[in-house]
Amino acid sequence: MRTQVGIIGAGPAGLLLAHLLRLEGIDSAVLETRGRAEIEATIRAGALEQGTVDLLDAAGVGERMRREGMPHEGIVLRFGGRSHRIPLAELTGGRSIMIYAQHEVIRDLVNARLLAGGAIHFGVRDVSLLDLDTRQPKLRFHDADGELQELACDYVAGCDGFHGVSRPSIPSRLRREFTRVYPFGWLGILVEAPPATDELIYAYHERGFALVSTRSPQIQRLYLQCNPNDEPGAWADARVWEELHARLAGADGFRLAEGRIFQKGVIAMRSFVVEPMQHGRLFLAGDAAHIVPPTGAKGLNLAVADVRVLARALAEFYASGNAQLLERYSETALRRVWRAEHFSWWMTSMLHTFHDESPFHHRMQLAQLRYVTESRAAATMLAENYVGLPFEEA
Ligand code: APR
Ligand code: PHB
């Protein structure tokens, strides 16, 4: 088998890259270990930056998102028992975010790919990357029938997430990894209930952080700071509601609507970056190259920004033979990656309870929260990062 770009992983990064390349007339094949039903059902985040929304629209895969997604023009920071609105759109010249679940983005991209007759090899095993420092790298794998296959490519895109095989295929002496693991996780739940609020609420409380998000008029998405090693089973429904009510309580009488909890999961929190994001003819994109804690809602959006840069660089190469943009891929992508790393770390640090920190640290967090909600300059800093800074050119 042969293709121009071999893509490992059918997450948002791999699928969107395949789609953007097709729009440029570039052939690709996508290899994915899991099945279609599984990738379309995995619950992940759901906040799309303005630039992500615009890109999906421009690429012709935004139609259902426009119909079913929920635009939000502000978010709420809640602390000291009061809500403080950050008017995102007003502070950023009209930019906003869209709540639309990641697995819905995946469904739209899989559909677009299959309609266009593009290949997605689901259920593959043992993918290995060969000859990355030659002009013809290869991907070897067992297909869903157990047959050994070899795919010859011009370039390989490693879009296989944090636990994939692409990043470890870069010799360890040629890569540098930066990591921070946080001493807490999030318990995420899905609930059958009407929304309790029009806008996302990020709540800082001594008992721990809480986040109120939504999926539809009937389904709400809620998160609670928890121990990173907690099993979801340790969180009986009554305990979940007790914590949510306590962390969101206030003099204004705000109260969350309860409902049937039908999904629970614990998410670990880490910051991670690998440098560089390329080696020979391999380019890493999305979670394969970097992880952010979910507090800034940047994970999916960074994956989109990476593949936008990579698709443009590959398009330039195939159109003119000029590989300059490809050579600068890592440098270009990492500028946005580190900005998002900082923002996600900053939001996380401001909003979570660090149980081993002193009362001084707690006062610092409150001072920061007050400043960010009272100063237009500070609120603008939060808002422009949250809705996503404009894409920069290479
Ligand atoms: N071979 C083939 N596919 C693989 C392999 C492998 N060895 N290892 C992992 N995969 C697949 C996974 O099954 C998954 O479907 O690669 C895909 C990676 O997708 P994601 O983990 O979703 O990563 P990415 O596309 O970079 O998306 C960015 O944004 O909201 C955040 O972390 C969240 O998933 C999200 C990410
Ligand atoms: C979500 O809706 O899943 C969500 C929203 C905002 C975040 C994280 C997750 O910061």
Side-chain angles (χ1 to χ4, degrees):
M1 289 196 287
R2 219 209 103 67
T3 188
Q4 289 175 296
V5 182
I7 300 176
I8 311 173
L15 289 168
L16 182 60
L17 178 64
H19 183 74
L20 295 176
L21 292 177
R22 187 180 62 79
L23 296 178
E24 300 286 348
I26 300 166
D27 184 55
S28 66
V30 181
L31 308 183
E32 167 61 51
T33 45
R34 298 187 296 159
R36 178 176 180 185
E38 196 182 341
I39 65 166
E40 292 187 352
T42 305
I43 305 296
R44 292 302 244 313
L48 310 185
E49 292 177 357
Q50 182 74 57
T52 299
V53 170
D54 295 346
L55 181 69
L56 293 174
D57 262 341
V61 284
E63 197 258 335
R64 202 164 63 92
M65 168 190 73
R66 284 285 174 201
R67 231 176 333 114
E68 299 177 12
M70 290 169 283
H72 283 214
E73 299 205 330
I75 58 168
V76 169
L77 299 184
R78 191 167 167 85
F79 56 95
R82 281 190 51 210
S83 284
H84 308 257
R85 180 168 192 261
I86 307 279
L88 299 173
E90 186 190 314
L91 293 169
T92 60
R95 295 166 72 80
S96 58
I97 59 152
M98 177 79 88
I99 301 295
Y100 188 62
Q102 179 168 318
H103 67 274
E104 304 291 356
V105 177
I106 298 265
R107 282 175 56 195
D108 296 341
L109 289 168
V110 169
N111 252 335
R113 174 93 182 148
L114 298 180
L115 272 177
I120 308 179
H121 302 272
F122 290 110
V124 304
R125 290 275 161 264
D126 317 321
V127 177
S128 57
L129 297 79
L130 307 168
D131 305 332
L132 293 173
D133 41 18
T134 71
R135 292 167 65 92
Q136 191 166 95
K138 292 173 198 68
L139 299 178
R140 200 173 282 161
F141 60 99
H142 287 101
D143 66 18
D145 299 323
E147 299 282 327
L148 184 65
Q149 302 283 0
E150 198 169 274
L151 177 67
C153 330
D154 300 334
Y155 290 100
V156 175
C159 303
D160 47 354
F162 185 62
H163 300 288
V165 289
S166 300
R167 189 177 65 253
S169 303
I170 302 180
S172 54
R173 69 191 151 78
L174 297 180
R175 63 182 141 95
R176 184 155 180 216
E177 300 186 346
F178 303 82
T179 308
R180 180 181 176 107
V181 177
Y182 299 87
F184 40 74
W186 280 8
L187 175 78
I189 61 168
L190 284 168
V191 183
E192 276 171 13
T197 162
D198 292 338
E199 295 182 331
L200 269 55
I201 301 177
Y202 288 79
Y204 173 74
H205 192 279
E206 282 179 8
R207 294 172 77 133
F209 169 76
L211 170 58
V212 181
S213 181
T214 182
R215 283 295 177 269
S216 74
Q218 294 81 32
I219 295 179
Q220 310 314 316
R221 178 76 166 142
L222 309 171
Y223 297 96
L224 275 176
Q225 176 180 350
C226 66
N227 186 309
N229 303 315
D230 279 354
E231 294 290 335
W235 284 86
D237 293 4
R239 181 177 173 211
V240 172
W241 291 119
E242 184 187 322
E243 277 306 313
L244 281 168
H245 290 314
R247 296 181 192 188
L248 291 159
D252 57 4
F254 173 81
R255 191 156 172 95
L256 213 54
E258 290 190 17
R260 187 176 75 87
I261 300 175
F262 62 96
Q263 207 262 351
K264 276 186 200 149
V266 172
I267 306 155
M269 309 264 285
R270 77 168 71 226
S271 299
F272 172 86
V273 180
V274 68
E275 285 185 0
M277 287 170 57
Q278 69 195 84
H279 165 66
R281 293 210 156 200
L282 167 67
F283 297 88
L284 302 179
D287 279 17
H290 40 71
I291 296 288
V292 286
T295 327
K298 288 283 160 265
L300 167 63
N301 295 295
L302 265 191
V304 167
D306 286 351
V307 301
R308 176 183 172 276
V309 174
L310 184 53
R312 289 162 80 101
L314 286 164
E316 167 80 10
F317 170 77
Y318 282 108
S320 70
N322 181 347
Q324 270 182 12
L325 291 183
L326 276 174
E327 282 155 18
R328 285 210 301 274
Y329 167 72
S330 177
E331 190 192 325
T332 306
L334 281 168
R335 279 201 295 271
R336 189 178 189 86
V337 167
W338 279 114
R339 175 87 297 281
E341 288 287 342
H342 176 269
F343 178 66
S344 305
W345 162 84
W346 176 77
M347 286 282 278
T348 302
S349 306
M350 177 170 70
L351 287 162
H352 289 76
T353 298
F354 290 72
H355 291 291
D356 51 356
E357 289 282 3
S358 64
F360 176 81
H361 186 255
H362 173 61
R363 289 286 188 278
M364 291 294 99
Q365 288 173 293
L366 284 173
Q368 176 75 87
L369 281 162
R370 260 184 241 117
Y371 182 52
V372 103
T373 49
E374 287 169 8
S375 152
R376 191 175 171 90
T380 303
M381 185 277 282
L382 189 156
E384 70 176 4
N385 279 279
Y386 194 84
V387 301
L389 291 161
F391 293 126
E392 56 177 321
E393 300 314 322

